Amino acid sequence: MKVHHSLAAAVLASALILPTAAPAFAAPDHTSQAPGIQKQDTLRWVAPQDLKIGTAVAGGGHHETQPYPAPFPNDKEYLQHLAAEFSSVSPENQLKWEFVHPERNTYRFAEMDAIVRFAQENKQVVRGHTLFWHSQNPAWLEEGDFSKDELRAILKEHIQTVVGRYAGQIQQWDVPNEIFNGDGTLRTTDNIWIRELGPEIIADAFRWAHEADPKAKLFFNDYGVEGINAKSNAYLELIPRLQAQGVPVDGFAIQGHLSTRYGFPGDLQANLQRFDDLGLETAITEIDVRMDVAAGTKPTDAQLAKQASYYQRALDACISVDECNSFTIWGFTDKYSWVPVFFSGEGEATVMWNDFTRKPAYYALQDSLEQASPGRGNR
């Protein structure tokens, strides 16, 4: 891994020319190895060659209201662990509509450009998240007075502009994100695309993404589908119908936002296998395991052991399914986790403490990866 001191020139040179320019973005200055990190003692090193171990790159969203600079690219120690530990990276918020397309004629690509360049420098793949969602959309879109034809054109232009910009550089895309309710019915109220354009727009989104980058793998992505239930059954019914129509659906992704308040989804492996049996790739894309932790206290040893067990059992389920080829934790340090911002009384959901020291959950993942493929990692 080589040291990269500035991406500013590359970002500017590759910027999309638009009527309104987004603010300039300071690129990361990182080193390939953090003090005390031994390459052979990292998750990516011990992972099987055919399994990418990933994390979300902290930035945008809730981070913009917190009392710290954007973690990427400002926290040098964070960047060092990001480079050393993971073979895959996902933008946490930097490709969501409100961030990357804040005005109708403005795209904000500088941050994502920097993430892609960082990944290339550190021999990582990139997952794109997300193209079609009911949440974190800009006001100009949600409150605009658009005809159906205009709205359809807006979605097509967004997908093909964003996917096309990173063609050949992003391995997997979450295309529609969270399109079903818990009872297995489509989100027809709060998802602007399905509400205004009908369920047929789902197939169009896949087709447009495929046209923009035929080599990228295209996924459905959702939460609450870890087990066999009404929601995961809805995907199991929808995907073969789309496949029969020639829609380029390549994969099904389970987010994996878990809580120790609830039991572990013991049918996770069986559920992944159902989608594998359809000929799909599968992935766990956003796993974290939150715990009940009162303000000013730390989790108990028993809580940490339970958390570690949840992480390990999820990874073991993925490893046991042939085409589950990507396992991504949604942030790796509690310092920047989204959980305490959105779940009152819960937190400590990642595999590292605020100071980047490792929790039992980290070692549990490391142990499963070593058992799966000793000595053959993503080096």
Side-chain angles (χ1 to χ4, degrees), residues 202-207 239 241-250:
I202 297 166
D204 290 331
F206 277 102
R207 292 188 179 107
I239 292 172
R241 285 197 286 112
L242 294 175
Q243 291 174 317
Q245 298 167 26
V247 179
V249 181
D250 299 301

Side-chain angles (χ1 to χ4, degrees), residues 206 217-221 239 248-253 280-282:
F206 277 102
K217 299 293 186 178
L218 307 181
F219 279 66
F220 281 102
N221 187 59
I239 292 172
V249 181
D250 299 301
F252 177 71
L280 296 169
E281 295 184 16
T282 58

Side-chain angles (χ1 to χ4, degrees), residues 13 35 39 54 83 91 97 108 130 215 232 269 273 288 302 313 315 349:
K39 184 167 66 172
W97 270 73
R108 179 179 174 179
T130 178
K215 294 184 178 180
S232 61
Q269 181 181 332
Q273 188 63 53
D288 46 30
R313 291 172 70 184
L315 177 58

Side-chain angles (χ1 to χ4, degrees), residues 4-15 24-29 110 113-114 117:
H4 186 73
H5 293 288
S6 176
L7 300 177
V11 169
L12 290 173
S14 62
F25 176 70
D29 175 8
D113 286 351
R117 182 59 180 270

Side-chain angles (χ1 to χ4, degrees), residues 32 116 118 147 209 220 236 241 247 251 254 265 271-272 276 293 299 309 319 327 344 351 368:
S32 62
V116 169
F118 180 93
S147 69
F220 281 102
L236 196 74
R241 285 197 286 112
V247 179
I254 290 170
N271 191 35
L272 286 168
D276 184 276
V293 183
S309 171
I319 288 170
F327 185 90
S344 178
V351 300
S368 281

